């Protein structure tokens, strides 16, 4: 991962973890359920954004190298991984 | 929220926050992008499960009380909230 | 289902079916894959909207009656169905 | 799109359109709302599968050609399209 992406990703992950700790406190403080569910949905959206950043970087680095490279198995593996990640994302 | 649900929810949230801290370390250790994306997808699925637990509890408590209660505005508000949460979930 | 919802739902379903027939033609005409995928995503969003309309109507009719009714099994079944539909939606 | 994919995709789209016409009839016949919602969810899953098939084919054809090609703008455009499709899928 390039340094810019790595920094963006770790910051967003740290922020998501902090957000979840805040939601734990909301649960313990008996905050209204729907408000808590909406906060969890916000974390889910933030994690989806992290995945998009990482996929974008992955396509520009590993996948591009593999497609230009001489190893057809490696190339095929890379493309299958993209399809699998896409398939799971459609089920999130 | 009843105590059983509260305990289940806070444990799952603590576990999700810990999982994300682990993913941060994976990013700093330059673990392969696709492996990281799959871990993030696992956290997203865990958070979806928390939302299901909370919605189930909410339906059995607040929503049931409101529907049986005498305040039509309160009842309407509750039902609209369910629909909104459902709508956002379909976009996660 | 009340008549307004029924009319809205059948119109939207007819429109979605027509949209899919158009996408079939796009495939046969060798339209660019990404353009086709985006059209399919538009149909998926339209179907999600139909589900929201139907759930909203269901909550205001059957679920409200069951919660006010005297049959605890029926009530429980209704609430579980809502949770299940919500769970599947989070995986769509 | 290669012929095998094109055939698989058009068959699945025709099947989805037929499924939706069946759901329209269910609505007109006053079938229970939750049963209808579940049928719509099945169509949504079928359409997600079509998108996966098409993306897989697209990666093996257009994207592979572009990455191996000499046009950096074309390459960049292709990779951005993949990321965009992924982003929208996470919101379906």
């Amino acid at each position: 991962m390039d340094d810019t992406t790595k920094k963006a990703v770790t910051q967003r992950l740290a922020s998501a973890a902090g957000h979840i700790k805040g939601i734990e406190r909301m649960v313990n403080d008996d905050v209204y359920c729907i408000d808590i569910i909406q906060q969890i949905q916000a974390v889910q959206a933030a994690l989806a954004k992290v995945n998009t950043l990482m996929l974008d970087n992955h396509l520009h680095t590993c996948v591009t190298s593999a497609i230009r490279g001489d190893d057809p198995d490696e190339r095929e593996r890379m493309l299958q991984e993209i399809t699998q990640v896409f398939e799971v994302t459609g089920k999130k």
Side-chain angles (χ1 to χ4, degrees), chain A:
Chain A
M1 216 181 304
D2 64 66
D3 281 350
T4 312
T5 306
K6 192 187 277 194
K7 197 175 165 189
V9 163
T10 48
Q11 283 179 346
R12 282 166 188 267
L13 287 173
S15 161
H19 200 159
I20 292 178
K21 299 307 283 183
I23 297 169
E24 258 187 88
R25 282 189 296 275
M26 290 171 77
V27 174
N28 284 322
D29 292 349
D30 292 311
V31 170
Y32 183 54
C33 287
I34 295 291
D35 293 338
I36 295 174
I37 290 176
Q38 286 169 344
Q39 292 303 313
I40 293 178
Q41 291 178 327
V43 175
Q44 291 177 299
L47 293 175
K49 183 65 189 166
V50 173
N51 277 343
T52 300
L53 284 175
M54 291 193 55
L55 180 72
D56 184 61
N57 181 76
H58 182 61
L59 288 167
H60 283 87
T61 52
C62 307
V63 176
T64 296
S65 301
I67 287 179
R68 288 189 185 157
D70 293 328
D71 183 344
D73 290 349
E74 173 73 358
R75 210 154 57 213
E76 185 53 32
R77 191 175 63 77
M78 286 276 164
L79 297 185
Q80 282 185 9
E81 282 173 353
I82 303 295
T83 306
Q84 282 162 11
V85 159
F86 178 79
E87 198 159 18
V88 174
T89 294
K91 294 179 182 162
K92 272 287 130 333

